[in-house]
Structures are given as structure tokens and as C-alpha cells.
Amino acid sequence: MSENDAVTSGGRAGEKLFARPWIFIRGVPAMKFLPPEGPSEVAFAGRSNVGKSSLINALVSRKGLARTSNTPGRTQELNYFVPEGYSGEKGDLPPMALVDMPGYGFAKAPKAKVDAWTKLVFDYLRGRVTLKRVYLLIDARHGIKTVDDEVMDLLDTAAISYQVVLTKADKIKPPALARLVEETRQKLAKRPAAFPEIVATSSEKGLGIDDLRAAVLRAVDHG
């Protein structure tokens, strides 16, 4: 597919990639339902209600692609999204896929369901060769919580590259946001798998969305 076939063809091709319509292709409730490994994948993780679905929708400029909900634990599968216009056959694969992971840290779901979702997420993180980076979403109003630290411990142990993305950054004042970014950077400095750059975003205001797109393209390009 002309110059859009590879993210590596530069920023212009990357802009065209995110300008395309994106579509949902598969919800994965267990590892056996994963798509065949092919395109590079980037995954989005975070506490329930951190604004993950809204951020994915803003990233691809399509409202309602990833479902948003006020109910913690709504996303119960690994949800796959790809740019439209590729057959999916060998030689015509999309250049990348976005994976919306189940939220963590919610208390209302039955323990058996939480355990099943947790196992799915951890198995995916450990076993997916095409996973280039995990974007770990942190609510700017609350900062890194204990449960976020636990997830980062797992990512560090598994040597999976991850980058922190602050969400809802428009909800705090600029000086407080600047302090939070610096505090977060200092916390991440001791973590071996953490990418040093922090992206502050607001899905509602469009803040940082272009920066996040650029970060995703770099991750896919360079791994």
C-alpha cells in the first residue's frame, strides 16, 4: 500500500497512518485467541477509569472506537485496533496494531474474574514477541499509586519496555503538572525497563496527543 505500508518511511507516512480510519478487529479473552504475530504492537495499560479508552480514541481521531465507561473493569479482553485498508493477508498486513488492555486496580469485579484478566494480561506481556512497548497510563490528578508500582515491578522483571503517559493533565494547573512530571521522572530513573520520556496528555483538550503519536511511531520503528 504505497508509502503507508511502513511506519519507518518517516513522519509524513506516520501522519497518514493516524489520519486513516482505524477499526476494531478482535477481542481476546484468552491467549489462544490472539491474532497471529505479524505487525508490531503497542499496548495501553492503566488503572480502571484512568481514561485509557478516551486516550486511544483521541490518538486515532475516532470517537467511540474504544468503548468508554464509568464502570470499572468494563474492558475485560485484549482489544485489538488496526488502521483500515489492509487485507490482513501475508504481504498486506497493517504496519501496527494498538492493544487496549484490561484495566487493573478495580475492586467491584468478582475475584475469579480479576484473576483471569490478570493472568491474561501477564501472559500476553511475557509471551508476545511483537509487543514493542507498553504505555502505562497514570492519572495526573493522583500520580503513581501502589498498584502502578506493582505493575512496573512486573514490567521491569519481564524486561518489557514501557513509557508513562499522564492522562487528564488539563485537570491540574501547569505548575503542579510540571512538578508531577519531574517527580515521576525521578521515580522512573531507578527502573530498568522504563523509557525516560514522560508524555502529559488530555484527551478532552487534545494536549500531548501529537507527542504520543510520535512516541508510538518511534517505538514501532526502533523497538
Side-chain angles (χ1 to χ4, degrees):
M1 293 237 148
S2 68
E3 73 269 28
N4 281 328
D5 282 347
V7 172
T8 54
S9 55
R12 215 175 296 168
E15 289 172 16
K16 290 182 180 179
L17 180 66
F18 282 113
R20 277 178 175 268
W22 282 64
I23 56 171
F24 168 77
I25 58 164
R26 185 178 303 194
V28 176
M31 289 289 284
K32 65 181 180 181
F33 297 109
L34 280 170
E37 287 181 343
S40 297
E41 297 172 9
V42 294
F44 292 81
R47 296 196 309 274
S48 292
N49 284 4
V50 75
K52 188 155 46 67
S53 296
S54 295
L55 187 67
I56 291 172
N57 290 337
L59 190 67
V60 300
S61 303
R62 183 170 171 190
K63 293 180 180 178
L65 179 63
R67 295 185 306 172
T68 58
S69 172
N70 291 324
T71 306
R74 172 75 177 270
T75 301
Q76 301 175 15
E77 303 176 336
L78 299 170
N79 289 323
Y80 271 74
F81 305 97
V82 298
E84 196 174 35
Y86 299 89
S87 69
E89 300 298 323
K90 192 172 182 180
D92 194 29
L93 293 170
M96 65 178 293
L98 304 180
V99 183
D100 183 7
M101 300 176 70
Y104 57 80
F106 48 88
K108 293 184 179 179
K111 184 177 184 303
K113 269 196 172 181
V114 175
D115 289 347
W117 302 342
T118 302
K119 183 179 186 307
L120 171 65
V121 167
F122 290 175
D123 286 348
Y124 168 73
L125 291 175
R126 284 195 294 256
R128 194 66 168 170
V129 175
T130 45
L131 177 62
K132 296 296 185 180
R133 183 160 297 156
V134 173
Y135 290 91
L136 187 63
L137 276 50
I138 304 292
D139 191 322
R141 299 171 300 178
H142 307 305
I144 294 173
K145 298 288 190 183
T146 301
V147 68
D148 300 315
D149 273 321
E150 291 169 355
V151 171
M152 286 190 275
D153 288 342
L154 169 83
L155 293 166
D156 285 331
T157 301
I160 295 161
S161 173
Y162 62 95
Q163 183 169 2
V164 166
V165 177
L166 300 174
T167 62
K168 307 179 184 181
D170 60 309
K171 304 298 184 187
I172 62 174
K173 292 182 179 177
L177 179 60
R179 283 195 302 272
L180 175 62
V181 168
E182 185 53 36
E183 288 167 7
T184 305
R185 185 177 287 117
Q186 289 175 14
K187 289 179 182 178
L188 295 177
K190 300 172 185 176
R191 292 191 167 276
F195 192 76
E197 181 185 337
I198 296 159
V199 183
T201 67
S202 165
S203 303
E204 190 176 320
K205 305 292 186 184
L207 172 71
I209 300 301
D210 285 340
D211 293 336
L212 182 57
R213 287 175 183 145
V216 167
L217 293 170
R218 284 196 301 270
V220 169
D221 192 358
H222 300 298

